[in-house]
Amino acid sequence: LDLHASLADSSLAKLWNPVTFTFAPHNTIMGAGMQIKVYAPPNFEIANELTNEGLKSRALIQPVSEVPGVGEGDVPPDPSWDSRPSIIWGEEELDCAVDEETGRLLTVTVLSDVRELTAGRDYQMTIFVYNPMRAVEVSQENEWMLDTYNSISASPILPLFRDRIRVQGFAVKDTPRRWTYLNEEPATGLRFYNGLQRVKQLYFEMQFPSKLQTEGSNTKGDIIVLETPAGYKWVDCPGTFKWEPPKDYELYLPSSPRTCVNGDGPLERSNMTIKIMELLAVPAMRMIKFRVDAQNPDKTPHAMLNHWMATHYSGMTGQILSTTAVVSWDIIPQLAEPFIQLVGANVNKAAGTQSRMAISFIPINDADQLELWAKLPQGFDFTGCIAMTDGHEIVTTDLDKVRVRAALYAGVKANIILDDFKLGQIGGPTEFDLTTMLNNGEQMDEALNFEDGFELPGYLLLVDQSIQSEYTMNPDKYPGDREVRMNEVATIKFEFTMTRGAEAGDLLSVSSPLFTMIPDGFTLRYGPGGPAVSTEVVSYVDGTIVVQLRGSEMRSTVPGFMSPSYEITLQAKTPSMPNPTDSMIRIEVRKPGTQVAQLPVNTNDGRDQGFRLVDNVLLRLKKPPQNEAPPMAEVDVELVVDPRSTAPTELLLMAPLMFNFTQDCLVRGGESGEIVSCTLLPPDSSGRAMARLITKAGGLTAPTDYVVIRIKTPSMDPSDPAMRKWFIDVRDDETGLQVGWGEDATGVSIRQMVGAEVIFSGVPQIAGQLSIKFYTAEKVDAGGMIRVIYPRSIVILCDGAFFEPVALQGQIDCYNNAKLGMFDLVMARPMPPGMQAFTVTATPPDAVDDPGGNIFKILVYTPDGKVVDAAMNVPGNRIEHGITLSALELIWGSSDGGKASQISVGFELLAEMPEVEPPLMSEVVVTLPETFEHVVTRASHIEVLGAPFPFRNPNWLNVDNPRKVKLLMDEKAVATLPLGLYRFSFPALLPTKMPKFNVFLVSICGPNLDGTNATCSGDPQDPRVITTFPLAGFQLGDEHPSAMQYMAASPAIRLPLPLTTLALGLLSLLFLLPRPSAAATPRPRDVGSLG
């Protein structure tokens, strides 16, 4: 056994002086009820306090080493002054009773069943005593005795006594009359008890019973040694030491040097040595006062080491003249390196949300639990939270407080993660109290008013959000449901509020990793449609756009209110992921210079979903070879649909304006039966035809393979190319939601018949021939039909002599329906591909006032009523007032191919020319059919056969073009041209095969425009042409009835003929020729059934 005394003085006050025994028992005792009895020497007394159960003291018992095992026999070990609290037998495990009669006997009864003193193992026990009131030397009487007794539960057989140990005591010295301190800063009244805290202006008073001998020639100055408790340190001892009060420094030790030495470790004391070197010895009982700064240790030292000590040494002998101590204050251990931060990449961090928190610190003492109190901001709620770290569990919660069970070891960094708790409201700076404790509730360490954790971000509430594309913003231009698609530029708006304000210079960021932000057009407004907030885009990368507030601030919004709010408008390219959860939206306000990992000022935590996007479905309509179809036809087209990422079960196909679908529009469902039906639907609100296509079970998961549908074409393509687009809307039948849409920008073009032309005289109320020609690549079987739709204000006659087949062959029956404004030519023979032409008789009105204008439509039908070709926008000739002319009949001589014949044409002036600005007939141009050629080589080849023409002298004839004969008129003379018949003839070479468009054109042309000098082309579309008379030609071998009479009289005539002879013969026939009658009526027929 060994004995250690912390204090050995004869203090007047009853100081609880610790005394520590180390011992190794010979016999093991264990269990509740075992006892250790300590007998103090005479004049000592066990420190005690009176309780309801008698006089009680306290004791500390522990193994010297934490490692179990037998000690070193009779060699006493050094005590352990820094053991972990868990191996020290706590006060709740010991009952320390003091003998009330002697006051010298301490009986320590162990209350715990798990404690034991193992034979041979080294233990230490610290008890507390009152030292004698006088000095005591080491003597035989100064002896301590320790007995051990087993518990009845461990040894039911008596006696229970096991061991007895005796040890020599320690000497007790004289004591200074006063030694005290005051831990209180005078200016503030603050006291400093926290671990490692600086103790400012720590106050001491000391008063020694002996004089303080000064340094002299024959003497050595006494020495005063002031010692701190273990672990304390002096702080800037020379700089902070001050006599109290400073003005009385001469009354103390002004000339005595002071030396301060700080201990190196937590078990070492620091000391201040004062060597007395005053001029005179300092009298006994001189009160000495001073202040100096110190620093607390991290925790309260062991009771044996927790005293401030003052010792007076003789300078001559080194003998202790007096010594004393005073117990220091209890240190409140402060957790080292406390750290609190919100963690988790996808965990909420905005005020008022459920979050996750990491807490770390280094304990000063072992502990079993951590209590956390979130003091600021208000509103933290730990109810229902969990501890995520292994071995930790929630013990209790009380709104803003939580207690966690965790094994905490001194000096070992602890990491605790709490999850699923609610953060405080509004946001801002945070303040926490951290306290560690044992399971019995005894506090060990703390970190109070901890403000260096994190600044809680405000709650950014996304009030409203919208996304639009060019299509959704222009529904009139883009009919049909067109939700925003993937990989397209869109305009996005966010309306939001936030619980913390933002200052000028702060950064506002919008991010969604899959979007591509576009800096142009970014705006921030005070609420929807409000004034703009000045901002500048500072970066846009990786799906994030960041703007800085320029000279403006953003105000906070009280939770639960919607004002003030702010609205962001920006453009971005949408991602290739359709689900809104694939592109979560994060909006944050940050201070400039902060890193992304740091917490923002406000955030929505990226908790708001992005936007539901649809795919860009590929749509193509194919009509080989050139994606063309005739007007007004039922056409089979291949429908190509690539659903991309969608798997639709329903397709809604929208046709361009005027296109349509047949009732049952599916012709072929595809190679694998991808489409099972195609049904005509009512048109949409824009009037566009709709069809619903249903896929096979499981939806359309791959591009269609030769799906064919039947459509109806309009008369012509829409004039606006944007209106020619086909649109497809693909949907999921379970949800009814659109999953994609697409367009075919070109679709099927309407192929008008090539070369379609209508020519007729525009002289009102004068009947004449109306020629129609067109080119078709289609062959039409016998029984086919040509339908011509004409302005109803024009009178058409097409039966009998009023019809000329020209290029058509076989029996042709014409059925005219003047009420509907159309006639049908039913062909008994097949019509081959190529140029086709015919003429009917037409009487123009004074004005074409039909709703459709002066437009003709030519349609070619199969025998079963299907349109195979058409020209739907053939312009008619303009109506020409002021000149009343009619064409004279075409007369020809012989009709042998490859030979010359005489051609005679002309016109009749039926009314006098207007007196005011009459139309001037500047030229008469005859255009021969293709493959015809005139053989006029001189003026004498032109024979005037009626009233004389007022030719322009001297050059009145132009025959430069072999197919055109042009007669130039005197423009002044024609103004007074008399009524009459004006006919002339000229020689022409007939072809060996008649052309398809075997029609002669006689055009009356007006004068040249000012500044020009050119002849008229004779083309009906030439602006100089006043009117054109088409005249159906003749076939090889045909004889004109009147020409036969003439040829019979002159059978041997050959070119060049005496023109006067031909002229006399023709002139004698003029009045014998029949003229078309405008009053003739066609044979009626109901043509509606022809389709």
Side-chain angles (χ1 to χ4, degrees):
L1 178 144
D2 195 14
L3 180 145
H4 300 263
S6 173
L7 307 174
D9 67 356
S10 54
S11 302
L12 295 177
K14 289 192 174 182
L15 178 68
W16 284 50
N17 297 316
V19 176
T20 297
F21 301 86
T22 58
F23 60 92
H26 291 286
N27 297 286
T28 299
I29 60 174
M30 66 181 67
M34 67 177 179
Q35 291 182 337
I36 303 173
K37 294 184 178 183
V38 179
Y39 297 88
N43 301 316
F44 284 83
E45 182 181 353
I46 304 298
N48 62 79
E49 59 183 357
L50 181 61
T51 69
N52 293 333
E53 299 176 354
L55 295 178
K56 297 292 183 179
S57 188
R58 54 187 292 257
L60 302 173
I61 302 175
Q62 68 174 77
V64 173
S65 171
E66 296 187 26
V67 180
V70 177
E72 299 184 17
D74 292 336
V75 179
D78 293 329
S80 174
W81 306 127
D82 59 350
S83 299
R84 293 184 299 110
S86 58
I87 71 168
I88 299 175
W89 299 10
E91 293 185 8
E92 73 279 359
E93 298 178 284
L94 304 176
D95 177 64
C96 301
V98 178
D99 179 56
E100 296 184 9
E101 183 176 348
T102 65
R104 294 170 50 211
L105 171 61
L106 172 66
T107 301
V108 180
T109 303
V110 179
L111 306 177
S112 172
D113 289 330
V114 299
R115 298 297 188 181
E116 72 174 55
L117 294 179
T118 305
R121 186 175 184 182
D122 293 329
Y123 292 89
Q124 67 185 58
M125 180 171 72
T126 300
I127 66 171
F128 298 88
V129 301
Y130 300 138
N131 284 347
M133 298 296 291
R134 57 180 178 82
V136 175
E137 297 299 329
V138 176
S139 64
Q140 187 175 359
E141 294 182 355
N142 190 356
E143 183 182 64
W144 298 77
M145 187 172 65
L146 185 149
D147 292 346
T148 62
Y149 295 83
N150 208 353
S151 65
I152 295 178
S153 60
S155 179
I157 301 175
L158 299 176
L160 300 177
F161 172 77
R162 290 296 181 264
D163 295 329
R164 170 167 288 177
I165 306 166
R166 297 177 184 273
V167 64
Q168 189 67 51
F170 51 88
V172 176
K173 303 296 182 179
D174 195 7
T175 180
R177 295 299 176 258
R178 187 167 183 82
W179 172 239
T180 188
Y181 65 82
L182 178 61
N183 178 351
E184 182 176 290
E185 186 179 24
T188 63
L190 294 178
R191 298 186 178 187
F192 308 99
Y193 300 140
N194 292 342
L196 300 178
Q197 188 177 25
R198 182 169 180 165
V199 183
K200 298 179 181 180
Q201 299 184 47
L202 179 60
Y203 174 78
F204 290 96
E205 288 183 5
M206 54 186 179
Q207 188 181 42
F208 295 95
S210 304
K211 70 177 179 179
L212 304 179
Q213 187 66 47
T214 188
E215 184 84 4
S217 57
N218 298 319
T219 60
K220 292 184 177 181
D222 289 351
I223 295 174
I224 298 174
V225 177
L226 307 180
E227 295 181 79
T228 69
Y232 285 77
K233 296 182 183 299
W234 305 114
V235 177
D236 187 18
C237 183
T240 62
F241 185 95
K242 292 181 176 60
W243 299 110
E244 182 70 17
K247 65 181 180 65
D248 293 340
Y249 71 97
E250 293 183 351
L251 301 177
Y252 305 132
L253 306 172
S255 301
S256 300
R258 299 176 299 276
T259 304
C260 295
V261 178
N262 286 329
D264 291 334
L267 301 181
E268 292 188 13
R269 299 174 182 267
S270 299
N271 63 71
M272 180 188 299
T273 301
I274 304 175
K275 186 171 184 178
I276 308 300
M277 298 185 69
E278 302 301 317
L279 293 176
L280 299 173
V282 179
M285 304 304 291
R286 167 74 63 86
M287 184 68 72
I288 300 173
K289 307 175 185 178
F290 63 91
R291 292 185 183 273
V292 67
D293 284 5
Q295 183 186 48
N296 289 331
D298 57 4
K299 61 181 177 179
T300 303
H302 192 280
M304 290 290 294
L305 308 178
N306 192 27
H307 296 81
W308 294 90
M309 301 177 64
T311 303
H312 177 196
Y313 291 91
S314 169
M316 297 296 292
T317 66
Q319 182 180 2
I320 295 176
L321 301 178
S322 63
T323 182
T324 191
V326 61
V327 178
S328 185
W329 53 86
D330 286 337
I331 298 296
I332 303 174
Q334 300 298 297
L335 296 170
E337 300 179 19
F339 173 87
I340 301 179
Q341 187 58 269
L342 301 180
V343 295
N346 298 310
V347 178
N348 293 334
K349 297 178 178 66
T353 62
Q354 300 295 114
S355 189
R356 183 181 300 164
M357 179 190 296
I359 307 164
S360 68
F361 53 86
I362 298 176
I364 304 303
N365 295 295
D366 289 357
D368 303 314
Q369 298 178 15
L370 167 70
E371 182 177 87
L372 178 71
W373 178 16
K375 300 166 68 176
L376 288 177
Q378 296 181 354
F380 276 85
D381 188 352
F382 292 98
T383 303
C385 73
I386 60 172
M388 296 185 65
T389 36
D390 292 342
H392 299 168
E393 63 175 336
I394 303 300
V395 178
T396 60
T397 61
D398 184 11
L399 294 180
D400 52 6
K401 293 182 180 179
V402 59
R403 186 176 294 185
V404 185
R405 178 173 287 112
L408 305 174
Y409 298 100
V412 179
K413 190 171 186 177
N415 295 285
I416 298 172
I417 297 179
L418 301 180
D419 193 26
D420 203 20
F421 65 93
K422 183 179 179 182
L423 292 167
Q425 298 296 322
I426 299 179
T430 56
E431 182 179 319
F432 295 90
D433 281 356
L434 296 90
T435 307
T436 62
M437 58 190 66
L438 301 176
N439 285 328
N440 62 6
E442 181 183 352
Q443 177 175 323
M444 304 307 292
D445 305 334
E446 69 178 21
L448 304 183
N449 305 317
F450 179 65
E451 298 178 347
D452 296 330
F454 59 90
E455 192 160 308
L456 180 61
Y459 185 88
L460 192 147
L461 174 64
L462 201 54
V463 177
D464 191 22
Q465 64 187 79
S466 66
I467 185 169
Q468 288 189 305
S469 65
E470 178 187 0
Y471 304 101
T472 59
M473 291 188 291
N474 298 281
D476 294 337
K477 185 177 179 181
Y478 303 104
D481 292 335
R482 298 170 185 250
E483 296 186 29
V484 179
R485 293 188 297 191
M486 298 182 282
N487 296 310
E488 288 185 344
V489 175
T491 298
I492 303 173
K493 291 188 176 183
F494 300 107
E495 182 186 358
F496 64 93
T497 63
M498 52 192 188
T499 59
R500 297 183 66 192
E503 301 173 340
D506 286 353
L507 302 175
L508 172 65
S509 66
V510 181
S511 64
S512 184
L514 301 180
F515 279 81
T516 300
M517 301 301 177
I518 300 173
D520 299 337
F522 183 98
T523 58
L524 174 65
R525 297 186 178 277
Y526 292 99
V533 178
S534 177
T535 60
E536 178 183 357
V537 176
V538 294
S539 71
Y540 52 99
V541 65
D542 296 335
T544 300
I545 185 168
V546 181
V547 302
Q548 189 168 36
L549 301 181
R550 294 297 191 190
S552 300
E553 62 180 18
M554 299 174 68
R555 293 182 296 159
S556 62
T557 303
V558 177
F561 290 81
M562 294 294 107
S563 179
S565 68
Y566 294 86
E567 183 184 68
I568 292 172
T569 302
L570 59 85
Q571 287 189 314
K573 184 178 180 182
T574 58
S576 57
M577 305 293 285
N579 297 323
T581 54
D582 293 330
S583 55
M584 303 297 284
I585 303 298
R586 181 179 294 274
I587 304 177
E588 293 184 338
V589 176
R590 290 182 174 274
K591 291 295 180 183
T594 58
Q595 301 298 317
V596 175
Q598 294 176 281
L599 295 176
V601 178
N602 289 283
T603 182
N604 73 329
D605 288 316
R607 62 181 171 271
D608 293 292
Q609 295 183 5
F611 300 94
R612 181 183 175 275
L613 303 173
V614 299
D615 209 341
N616 188 348
V617 175
L618 174 67
L619 172 65
R620 292 288 183 271
L621 274 75
K622 294 184 178 181
K623 174 64 177 173
Q626 296 180 329
N627 260 32
E628 294 179 337
M632 306 299 290
E634 290 188 5
V635 180
D636 293 346
V637 296
E638 182 183 356
L639 177 68
V640 179
V641 179
D642 184 350
R644 302 279 172 84
S645 66
T646 69
T649 55
E650 176 182 281
L651 314 178
L652 299 177
L653 184 61
M654 177 186 291
L657 277 173
M658 307 309 295
F659 279 82
N660 208 338
F661 303 91
T662 59
Q663 188 65 42
D664 184 4
C665 45
L666 184 63
V667 177
R668 193 173 189 276
E671 288 295 318
S672 58
E674 303 99 293
I675 305 299
V676 298
S677 69
C678 176
T679 308
L680 178 66
L681 297 176
D684 81 328
S685 58
S686 67
R688 296 172 59 164
M690 301 279 294
R692 177 186 286 115
L693 289 84
I694 303 299
T695 71
K696 66 181 180 180
L700 184 64
T701 57
T704 56
D705 188 2
Y706 201 54
V707 171
V708 179
I709 63 172
R710 184 163 294 155
I711 65 173
K712 293 182 179 181
T713 60
S715 60
M716 63 188 71
D717 283 323
S719 58
D720 183 357
M723 301 304 292
R724 300 176 188 174
K725 297 178 180 179
W726 292 76
F727 172 76
I728 193 165
D729 179 347
V730 299
R731 295 185 174 266
D732 177 45
D733 62 346
E734 292 185 3
T735 63
L737 295 176
Q738 185 181 72
V739 292
W741 63 269
E743 286 183 318
D744 183 349
T746 55
V748 177
S749 299
I750 301 304
R751 183 197 67 239
Q752 303 290 336
M753 282 192 298
V754 179
E757 187 177 25
V758 173
I759 303 174
F760 62 94
S761 167
V763 179
Q765 307 304 326
I766 302 299
Q769 291 188 46
L770 180 149
S771 70
I772 295 176
K773 72 171 182 177
F774 58 87
Y775 177 89
T776 180
E778 304 292 334
K779 176 185 176 182
V780 179
D781 293 334
M785 182 180 74
I786 300 172
R787 170 171 290 176
V788 178
I789 301 174
Y790 56 85
R792 289 183 296 173
S793 56
I794 299 177
V795 177
I796 297 293
L797 301 174
C798 64
D799 56 345
F802 299 111
F803 173 76
E804 290 291 342
V806 185
L808 300 180
Q809 300 176 359
Q811 177 66 36
I812 306 295
D813 294 323
C814 181
Y815 302 96
N816 184 31
N817 189 327
K819 182 179 294 186
L820 296 179
M822 67 181 184
F823 64 85
D824 296 332
L825 301 180
V826 181
M827 299 171 290
R829 291 177 58 181
M831 183 181 75
M835 177 71 74
Q836 306 296 334
F838 57 89
T839 66
V840 296
T841 301
T843 302
D846 293 327
V848 178
D849 54 3
D850 292 60
N854 192 4
I855 298 297
F856 290 75
K857 300 175 182 178
I858 307 167
L859 298 92
V860 179
Y861 286 83
T862 62
D864 58 354
K866 300 286 182 65
V867 175
V868 293
D869 217 343
M872 303 300 292
N873 191 30
V874 184
N877 297 108
R878 68 178 180 269
I879 304 300
E880 187 65 42
H881 292 273
I883 185 168
T884 306
L885 298 174
S886 67
L888 297 182
E889 185 179 9
L890 173 70
I891 301 176
W892 64 94
S894 65
S895 59
D896 295 331
K899 297 181 179 180
S901 179
Q902 198 74 8
I903 304 297
S904 175
V905 295
F907 59 87
E908 180 179 5
L909 181 60
L910 300 174
E912 294 181 352
M913 294 294 216
E915 294 182 1
V916 179
E917 296 183 359
L920 300 179
M921 291 187 292
S922 179
E923 297 181 33
V924 178
V925 181
V926 179
T927 303
L928 282 66
E930 290 186 359
T931 69
F932 278 75
E933 290 185 8
H934 68 75
V935 288
V936 178
T937 59
R938 57 182 182 271
S940 60
H941 285 168
I942 304 298
E943 186 71 22
V944 177
L945 303 178
F949 286 86
F951 292 134
R952 185 187 312 167
N953 288 321
N955 300 318
W956 56 270
L957 179 63
N958 185 320
V959 289
D960 294 341
N961 190 321
R963 289 186 53 225
K964 295 183 186 290
V965 177
K966 300 180 181 181
L967 306 180
L968 282 63
M969 302 290 115
D970 184 336
E971 295 178 358
K972 292 184 179 181
V974 295
T976 58
L977 191 67
L979 304 181
L981 302 172
Y982 295 86
R983 180 183 282 276
F984 65 96
S985 67
F986 59 90
L989 181 64
L990 304 187
T992 57
K993 181 180 179 181
M994 286 298 186
K996 289 286 188 177
F997 186 57
N998 188 6
V999 175
F1000 292 78
L1001 302 179
V1002 180
S1003 299
I1004 309 300
C1005 300
N1008 265 314
L1009 300 175
D1010 292 341
T1012 61
N1013 184 21
T1015 60
C1016 180
S1017 67
D1019 189 319
Q1021 306 305 321
D1022 190 324
R1024 287 186 60 190
V1025 171
I1026 298 173
T1027 188
T1028 297
F1029 300 109
L1031 301 174
F1034 52 90
Q1035 299 298 322
L1036 295 176
D1038 285 354
E1039 295 182 0
H1040 192 280
S1042 300
M1044 289 178 62
Q1045 298 176 22
Y1046 169 73
M1047 294 303 292
S1050 307
I1053 295 177
R1054 295 289 183 270
L1055 282 178
L1057 295 173
L1059 294 178
T1060 55
T1061 303
L1062 176 60
L1064 291 173
L1066 293 175
L1067 186 60
S1068 64
L1069 300 175
L1070 289 175
F1071 299 100
L1072 301 175
L1073 297 178
R1075 296 180 184 175
S1077 172
T1081 56
R1083 179 170 49 186
R1085 182 186 180 199
D1086 180 9
V1087 297
S1089 62
L1090 298 178

